[in-house]
Amino acid sequence: MKKITIIILISLMLIGSVVGCSQTEEPVRGADDSVVDQGVGKGDKSSRDNDAEPPGDRGGATSPNGERESINVLPVEVALLEMQTISDEYRVLGKVYPIQELTVGVQSSGIVEQMNVKIGDEIELGDTLYSINDDQLQLSNNQQLSSALNTLNSMKSKYEIEMADYEKTKALFDSGYASATDMDKASNDLSTAKSNYDNALQNYNNINATASYNLSGMTLVSPIQGIVSDIEVSVGEKSGSNDITIISRDQLRIDTIVAGKVVNDIHVGDEVRINHSDESLIGYVEAISPVGINGTDSFAVSVVLDDVPELNIGTNVEVYYSVSEAENQYVVPKKSVLTDVNGDYIYKIVDNHSVKIYIEQGFTNNGMVQIIGDLLEGDLIVTNGQNMLTEGQLVEIQEGE
């Protein structure tokens, strides 16, 4: 009987223990029946993290739904607005030429025997460019010289004979053994022989000079210092008078065509801006044609500049002529100017906030533009970052590169 009773008691205890574990823990309430927060366990990191202020918040405000809002600050670069002088530019395209160009060849036609240069070679005054071989010319020169020399020697012998006869006759005449007629004849014969000898000597000298000239014409030498730009003959081919072209690159010339409406604003000696591969070069007006091209209202204007090795002959470049000038004007980089449906505008910075200012554009020159609007000297004009701005945007001014 005792064993049965003990078993029943143990069973009841086990049943009570199971029922107690299945019941939900009741919250602790205060005197006013409100629930008392019992705190968060030390290991509950996610709860603490949710309460932390988000990183990067720079004084954000609270939205109507109770959430924090972050303020967006944009970086910009600015320039101090100052009064400047700016000239208006007239843009045309021009073509580059060498300041000097010569095409040369030998005086005597023959077969090119040796070529001493190639295209692109730099040459000096007097350098030998090529030589020709003309055996027939040399043979002709030798024959003419030989004939002239024979004639000269013959005339010289006759002159010497007549000189001796004259001296002999004169001695006889002085002694009374020769008549006046004999003396006149000896004098005339000597004069004729002297004239023939002088003519033969002059003829020989002329032929010799011509032969030397012809032989020198068999070698082509450079008349200037420069660069070989073209060769129209090769070894084994017949030479001509326009075989090799030489250019001088001490300076370059740019030929342009300018409209009549601005040509009177351009003057010889004016400084000119030349744009090539995003690089600005400086040249000067060399010549202005007083007559329109083919009777039109367009005029040829030439510009010269010192040699620029990177500027190839025949290249097209942009040429900017200054045609008028304005002093004491507000000038900003042209990239600072933006456009919307209401017109052109820029941004200036006031108290670290962007302010949109509508402007009018004036003269432009080398990436700069004259602007007219509600502006004051010393205003901070946005020069970089303006494309991201709106009216009233908070900004952070940064230094440019």
Side-chain angles (χ1 to χ4, degrees):
M1 185 65 181
K2 283 184 178 182
K3 290 182 179 180
I4 295 174
T5 303
I6 291 172
I7 291 172
I8 292 173
L9 289 174
I10 291 173
S11 300
L12 290 174
M13 291 176 65
L14 289 173
I15 292 172
S17 174
V18 171
V19 172
C21 289
S22 64
Q23 291 179 350
T24 303
E25 181 180 354
E26 289 292 331
V28 178
R29 297 181 180 273
D32 57 355
D33 202 33
S34 62
V35 177
V36 177
D37 187 359
Q38 300 181 66
V40 181
K42 292 183 179 180
D44 193 350
K45 181 177 182 299
S46 62
S47 177
R48 295 197 308 273
D49 288 346
N50 290 335
D51 291 337
E53 183 176 339
D57 191 314
R58 303 186 60 180
T62 302
S63 64
N65 60 11
E67 296 179 354
R68 300 277 288 178
E69 291 183 336
S70 176
I71 297 177
N72 185 25
V73 180
L74 294 181
V76 296
E77 295 176 12
V78 299
L80 195 66
L81 189 62
E82 297 177 332
M83 290 286 190
Q84 300 180 33
T85 297
I86 185 171
S87 58
D88 197 15
E89 290 184 321
Y90 175 77
R91 173 189 174 276
V92 294
L93 287 179
K95 193 170 185 178
V96 179
Y97 295 92
I99 196 68
Q100 185 178 18
E101 183 175 27
L102 291 177
T103 301
V104 295
V106 292
Q107 299 160 351
S108 302
S109 178
I111 302 301
V112 176
E113 186 175 51
Q114 181 175 350
M115 179 67 67
N116 298 327
V117 295
K118 61 182 181 298
I119 293 177
D121 281 355
E122 296 184 2
I123 55 177
E124 300 294 332
L125 173 66
D127 281 355
T128 299
L129 305 179
Y130 70 70
S131 58
I132 64 173
N133 181 9
D134 194 331
D135 294 335
Q136 185 177 359
L137 176 62
Q138 291 180 343
L139 177 61
S140 175
N141 287 338
N142 292 336
Q143 289 175 343
Q144 291 182 50
L145 279 171
S146 178
S147 176
L149 182 60
N150 290 335
T151 300
L152 176 62
N153 289 333
S154 175
M155 292 300 102
K156 182 180 179 182
S157 295
K158 289 183 178 181
Y159 172 64
E160 291 174 346
I161 292 172
E162 293 299 334
M163 175 63 74
D165 286 346
Y166 175 80
E167 293 293 339
K168 181 179 179 181
T169 302
K170 185 175 183 304
L172 292 172
F173 177 78
D174 291 340
S175 301
Y177 295 103
S179 65
T181 301
D182 293 336
M183 190 64 205
D184 289 342
K185 181 178 182 302
S187 178
N188 290 334
D189 289 345
L190 177 61
S191 177
T192 300
K194 176 69 166 60
S195 178
N196 289 338
Y197 172 68
D198 288 342
N199 290 336
L201 180 59
Q202 182 65 46
N203 183 57
Y204 175 81
N205 289 336
N206 290 340
I207 291 175
N208 188 42
T210 301
S212 298
Y213 178 77
N214 289 338
L215 290 175
S216 68
M218 297 174 67
T219 300
L220 179 62
V221 298
S222 176
I224 63 171
Q225 177 186 12
I227 301 173
V228 177
S229 63
D230 189 33
I231 299 177
E232 294 293 334
V233 68
S234 301
V235 172
E237 296 180 346
K238 191 173 183 179
S239 63
S241 58
N242 298 298
D243 289 337
I244 294 182
T245 302
I246 307 167
I247 62 172
S248 173
R249 287 197 57 141
D250 290 340
Q251 287 185 313
L252 298 176
R253 187 185 84 246
I254 301 175
D255 289 347
T256 67
I257 297 176
V258 173
K261 65 180 180 180
V262 297
V263 71
N264 290 331
D265 296 320
I266 300 172
H267 307 89
V268 172
D270 283 355
E271 186 175 285
V272 177
R273 186 171 67 87
I274 301 152
N275 190 41
H276 171 65
S277 299
D278 296 327
E279 180 181 1
S280 286
L281 309 171
I282 299 299
Y284 298 90
V285 177
E286 179 191 42
I288 304 172
S289 173
V291 181
I293 299 173
N294 297 326
T296 66
D297 193 33
S298 297
F299 296 81
V301 179
S302 296
V303 174
V304 294
L305 71 159
D306 292 335
D307 184 28
V308 179
E310 300 80 19
L311 203 54
N312 294 325
I313 303 300
T315 300
N316 290 322
V317 295
E318 295 177 331
V319 179
Y320 294 86
Y321 294 101
S322 296
V323 294
S324 55
E325 190 173 78
E327 298 179 348
N328 298 321
Q329 301 296 316
Y330 291 136
V331 179
V332 299
K334 190 168 180 60
K335 67 176 183 178
S336 302
V337 179
L338 304 174
T339 303
D340 63 14
V341 293
N342 295 317
D344 298 331
Y345 65 93
I346 62 170
Y347 281 109
K348 71 176 184 179
I349 302 302
V350 178
D351 296 332
N352 290 330
H353 287 78
S354 60
V355 177
K356 179 187 287 188
I357 303 293
Y358 283 94
I359 52 94
E360 293 182 7
Q361 297 190 57
F363 292 168
T364 60
N365 188 318
N366 197 19
M368 305 297 287
V369 62
Q370 170 196 6
I371 58 172
I372 303 170
D374 186 15
L375 298 164
L376 294 174
E377 191 168 7
D379 282 347
L380 296 178
I381 306 302
V382 179
T383 60
N384 198 10
Q386 63 273 17
N387 293 317
M388 301 297 295
L389 295 180
T390 56
E391 176 73 18
Q393 172 68 52
L394 180 63
V395 302
E396 181 180 3
I397 297 175
Q398 297 185 340
E399 294 185 1
E401 296 181 356

